[in-house]
Amino acid sequence: MTITDRLNATKAALALAATDSKRDLKDITLICVTKTFSTHEIEPLLEAGHRVFGENRVQEASGKWPSLRASYPNLELHLIGPLQSNKTREAIETFDTIQSLDREKLAYAIAEEISRSKKHPKLFVQINTGAEPQKAGTLPQEADKFIKICRETYNLKLEGLMCVPPVNEQAAPHFALLREIACRNNLTQLSMGMSSDFEIAIQLGATFVRVGSKIMGQRDYVT
Ligand SMILES: *Cc1c(COP(=O)(O)O)cnc(C)c1O
């Protein structure tokens, strides 16, 4: 199977999951995660009409995407990996959406860069639903307070929430928790679900799923 075949198979699986969950397909966006893959490997997906992509590293993305954007101006790029506050400018130059807002220092840096650049990236707060020490994201018990600070102190407009559940646990309770936090904070967008669990995420209300290996194939190195 080519990458384009796997994109089509993934889109078919997504459509089936939407039907099974009585969800409207147009409320679910497939983000194709292209980290570690070259522009050469990404291009067939753009040729096939796909426009929404995710990367987890600012530096890698800022090397790869400007040339692709020149040829495909209407593409949409999501940052789904951790963001150091000193990379905020580069991130906002490269990405349309930042899904990894998770601490006040970063909220401050993003607000500063928005007012300087007049660019308005879409913003998701990442929640560390499994409270894993090594993982990025705001802790669930601190989420309401952090969301309030983003909105009231930094005047940031938030779209929704993102999570990456612990690898060795059932994902469903984490997706349900993310939805609960989003609901009580009036956030409508949920970025959850990856290659192995996007169907469950769709059942639980995902509006963005982030699919990498199922489309791109195995990555050569773990990131
Ligand atoms: C790599 C990555 C994905 C895609 O993972 P797959 O299992 O390859 O689908 C999704 N979300 C985040 C945050 C990632 O880093």
Side-chain angles (χ1 to χ4, degrees):
M1 277 220 276
T2 65
I3 285 182
T4 315
D5 292 335
R6 288 195 299 260
L7 171 69
N8 289 329
T10 301
K11 280 160 67 172
L14 194 152
L16 195 62
T19 307
D20 283 349
S21 309
K22 303 191 167 44
R23 301 270 320 273
D24 195 334
L25 190 56
K26 72 171 169 26
D27 296 333
I28 305 163
T29 301
L30 172 63
I31 300 174
C32 179
V33 178
T34 49
K35 62 189 182 198
T36 80
F37 291 93
S38 67
T39 53
H40 177 71
E41 291 160 301
I42 297 168
E43 211 137 25
L45 298 169
L46 288 157
E47 280 297 313
H50 195 76
R51 288 293 179 271
V52 189
F53 296 88
E55 290 277 347
N56 69 335
R57 291 182 176 193
V58 175
Q59 206 167 352
E60 181 186 339
S62 65
K64 275 154 63 174
W65 285 91
S67 64
L68 292 169
R69 216 187 265 280
S71 313
Y72 303 92
N74 60 341
L75 63 82
E76 186 182 308
L77 194 59
H78 294 247
L79 176 60
I80 60 172
L83 176 55
Q84 288 172 268
S85 52
N86 64 1
K87 295 268 178 63
T88 302
R89 181 168 301 179
E90 198 180 353
I92 291 179
E93 279 165 6
T94 306
F95 291 93
D96 305 286
T97 300
I98 293 172
Q99 296 205 358
S100 47
L101 170 55
D102 64 353
R103 61 199 188 281
E104 186 162 359
K105 189 176 180 195
L106 188 54
Y108 171 80
I110 290 173
E112 288 283 290
E113 185 55 22
I114 288 173
S115 85
R116 192 199 67 86
S117 66
K118 310 286 181 254
K119 287 191 75 178
H120 290 270
K122 291 189 172 164
L123 300 172
F124 285 65
V125 170
Q126 182 175 353
I127 309 291
N128 184 358
T129 56
E132 294 172 278
Q134 82 290 2
K135 200 169 268 180
T138 306
L139 291 171
Q141 66 270 25
E142 287 164 10
D144 296 353
K145 185 169 149 225
F146 180 61
I147 290 165
K148 192 167 192 278
I149 288 172
C150 286
R151 285 169 161 162
E152 293 178 6
T153 308
Y154 298 101
N155 205 19
L156 296 174
K157 182 177 178 294
L158 304 176
E159 304 289 322
L161 303 179
M162 183 272 254
C163 76
V164 183
V167 281
N168 298 319
E169 289 181 28
Q170 292 287 331
H174 295 274
F175 296 156
L177 174 60
L178 195 73
R179 182 170 65 177
E180 193 183 302
I181 298 170
C183 278
R184 67 172 184 248
N185 286 284
N186 296 312
L187 290 164
T188 54
Q189 304 301 315
L190 290 171
S191 172
M192 57 191 200
M194 322 202 307
S195 290
S196 57
D197 53 22
F198 68 89
E199 286 100 339
I200 300 163
I202 288 170
Q203 258 174 36
L204 290 165
T207 60
F208 290 86
V209 293
R210 311 178 307 268
V211 179
S213 49
K214 191 178 161 71
I215 298 171
M216 304 305 296
Q218 283 306 318
R219 287 179 288 273
D220 282 345
Y221 54 96
V222 178
T223 57

